[in-house]
Amino acid sequence: MKKLFLVLAMSSLAVAMADAAEQDTVNRCAAIISQFQQMPEKAIPRDVLRQAKGLAIMSVVKAGFIFSAKGGQGVVIARTPRGWSGPSFIATGGGGWGLQAGAQVTDFVMVLNNDAAVRAFSRGGNVTIGVDVSAAAGPVGRTAAGAVMPTAAVYTYSRSKGLFVGVSLEGAVIGTQRQSNFNYYGGPVRADSILSGVTKAPPGAAPLRRALGP
């Protein structure tokens, strides 16, 4: 009986720790959105956010000397008729080599400008930036004309900390993290169910949804 209780307690602790890790990612993404909005010269225009069908937000760490490795985690969230959906977890990773050295943490915000871009992230598989969805650097500044028709399915914004030669989002493969979604929602759930709003957003997603506004 004691052994069974210990196993159950350890299982509950593991689930709680996993959920805490996912909540940290959600909180970090909310902070990234807030930080982008506090950069007057490089802020994402309000009109761009108001017209967005969704956003993918993530932090990517890249480090190396000659040979390099990168990895990052974040979430994608979509606009629904009832407001912003809950977060679906995403990640990226990879390696490379060449004339590059240093270390860098880059925060990315990808504005999904149309329904096709949201569907690409809803499939529950991988999305290759520049292949599955067209991407372009987004307009910046509070006075930028956000009413202009988007020139790409995805607008990319980045904010780097550190120094690294050769960082680019083009060609990055971003995959849905099914296990993280399982942990955060407490059971098996599909990305399309989350992003369509069919799966209710957990209370922990409230800070991120508030940071995005209406």
Side-chain angles (χ1 to χ4, degrees), residues 23-36:
Q23 187 60 54
D24 285 345
T25 298
V26 173
N27 293 344
R28 185 169 65 251
C29 289
I32 289 171
I33 288 294
S34 297
Q35 289 162 5
F36 268 87

Side-chain angles (χ1 to χ4, degrees), residues 46-93:
R46 293 184 185 278
D47 283 347
V48 170
L49 285 178
R50 275 196 288 262
Q51 295 174 21
K53 300 295 185 180
L55 291 99
I57 311 156
M58 63 192 313
S59 287
V60 176
V61 179
K62 188 172 183 180
F65 179 71
I66 307 301
F67 292 96
S68 67
K70 66 180 179 180
Q73 292 182 318
V75 303
V76 59
I77 189 167
R79 195 185 298 276
T80 77
R82 296 172 297 281
W84 291 103
S85 72
S88 177
F89 291 85
I90 54 177
T92 188

Side-chain angles (χ1 to χ4, degrees), residues 17 26-27 29-30 35 44 51 59 63 88-89 95 104 113 125 127 131 135 140-141 151 154-155 158 167-168 172 207:
M17 290 176 67
V26 173
N27 293 344
C29 289
Q35 289 162 5
I44 302 173
Q51 295 174 21
S59 287
S88 177
F89 291 85
Q104 184 180 55
N113 289 317
V127 177
V131 177
V140 297
T151 58
V154 174
Y155 277 156
S158 63
V167 169
S168 175

